[in-house]
Amino acid sequence: MPDPSNETSYADGKILKHRAGGVGVVTFNNPDKRNAMSLEMWEGFGEALTALRDDDAVRVVILRGAGGKAFVSGADISQFEKTRHNAAASEEYGKRSAAQRALLADYPKPTIACIDGFCLGGGMQVAMLTDIRLASHGSQFGIPAAKLGIAYGYDGLKHLVSLVGPSWARLLMYTGMRIDSAEALRIGLVERVFPVDELWGETMTIAETISQNAPLAIKAAKITIAQVLKDESARDMEAIKAIGTACMDSADFREGRQAFMEKRKPQFSGK
């Protein structure tokens, strides 16, 4: 687990940032409310993501929840009377939290959601914005918007449909049902499931593997996959070409070739 001596806190300690080698970690630290997200936590989350984005030593970022009960259980409903009591207030809330979601959606580094426990509503939206979702056997997933009388946003539903398809999206949204991690794995909502006592170690192993690979090659994969998911008319083929050229001309490509010939582990610099 992250070393508390190497943590920076935001939002009065409810968002924590930590770095271990090339791996950055953001922890949602509101366990008394199962890591439900307040506006202050959304803004602190954005600050933590920005700091890790701008840290050249960080090559991959993990998102996790504190307390062992939840990743993020959704929005902090206790704030709704103040922040989302009608359409106008909800629009303002959406604007303030949307900036942080946009930051994660366009994040230049690989991101991993490490999910242990409840992943509901806004927590699902955060998890679906990451590149890879790993979960413990006891985790539960759902979007209870229909039980609260609110509309789940376009971006969240777009990601849900892209992951699980329209039929499962309808079932989840119309019923507000929760599914377990086995079902989430089966329908493509998460990529891998581990016993709870192995989840963090397995997540770190995957993150460290990514951090030791060539950053430009990973960036090329991330950019290209993002473009593949767009409508053909909206794809930026020049961006794909540019990152491909950058890879071929990079010192890392030379290092990869030399390491292969010399039968040693490559040391990539990201240049």
Side-chain angles (χ1 to χ4, degrees):
M1 291 295 184
D3 176 4
S5 66
N6 187 28
E7 285 181 339
T8 303
S9 68
Y10 306 86
D12 293 326
K14 292 179 180 177
I15 297 291
L16 304 175
K17 173 180 70 69
H18 165 85
R19 182 171 68 81
V23 180
V25 181
V26 177
T27 303
F28 302 104
N29 187 41
N30 190 16
D32 290 344
K33 292 189 175 182
R34 292 182 174 175
N35 303 322
M37 292 289 282
S38 64
L39 269 177
E40 293 75 20
M41 287 177 68
W42 276 114
E43 290 166 356
F45 179 45
E47 292 179 68
L49 285 177
T50 299
L52 292 173
R53 181 196 66 191
D54 296 341
D55 185 342
D56 290 339
V58 173
R59 295 186 177 180
V60 57
V61 173
I62 298 171
L63 308 182
R64 62 184 294 269
K69 299 293 185 182
F71 173 69
V72 172
S73 62
D76 186 348
I77 297 175
S78 69
Q79 284 197 333
F80 277 22
E81 280 301 311
K82 178 180 178 182
T83 63
R84 301 179 75 176
H85 56 280
N86 59 28
S90 187
E91 183 177 1
E92 178 60 25
Y93 175 96
K95 287 179 181 178
R96 291 176 64 184
S97 59
Q100 325 310 328
R101 292 193 296 273
L103 177 63
L104 180 58
D106 295 327
Y107 210 64
K109 299 176 181 181
T111 53
I112 301 172
C114 177
I115 302 164
D116 182 20
F118 294 105
C119 181
L120 307 173
M124 281 269 287
Q125 197 162 15
V126 171
M128 291 188 296
L129 286 169
T130 61
D131 295 319
I132 299 166
R133 286 156 296 282
L134 310 174
S136 68
H137 284 310
S139 298
Q140 293 189 45
F141 303 80
I143 300 172
K147 295 180 181 293
L148 293 169
I150 59 176
Y152 205 62
Y154 172 83
D155 288 339
L157 283 176
K158 179 181 177 183
H159 285 99
L160 181 63
V161 171
S162 72
L163 290 170
V164 306
S167 295
W168 260 103
R170 292 186 186 104
L171 181 58
L172 290 169
M173 295 306 302
Y174 294 177
T175 65
M177 68 188 290
R178 294 179 186 176
I179 60 173
D180 62 18
S181 52
E183 190 83 280
L185 178 66
R186 188 181 70 81
I187 67 175
L189 187 59
V190 301
E191 279 67 66
R192 300 192 71 183
V193 174
F194 302 100
V196 64
D197 59 348
E198 297 177 16
L199 175 63
W200 180 249
E202 294 287 354
T203 301
M204 279 299 295
T205 295
I206 291 170
E208 287 168 352
T209 298
I210 293 170
S211 74
Q212 292 164 11
N213 286 335
L216 282 174
I218 292 171
K219 184 177 181 180
K222 181 157 185 168
I223 288 172
T224 304
I225 291 168
Q227 296 304 317
V228 167
L229 292 174
K230 294 180 180 179
D231 290 336
E232 186 173 355
S233 62
R235 291 175 190 157
D236 187 348
M237 302 306 293
E238 287 302 314
I240 296 173
K241 181 178 179 181
I243 189 62
T245 300
C247 285
M248 297 303 292
D249 288 341
S250 69
D252 277 354
F253 181 38
R254 292 193 297 275
E255 167 65 7
R257 298 196 308 271
Q258 291 171 0
F260 180 81
M261 297 301 293
E262 295 167 10
K263 298 182 179 180
R264 60 175 174 82
K265 187 175 182 178
Q267 298 295 318
F268 295 118
S269 65
K271 300 178 181 177

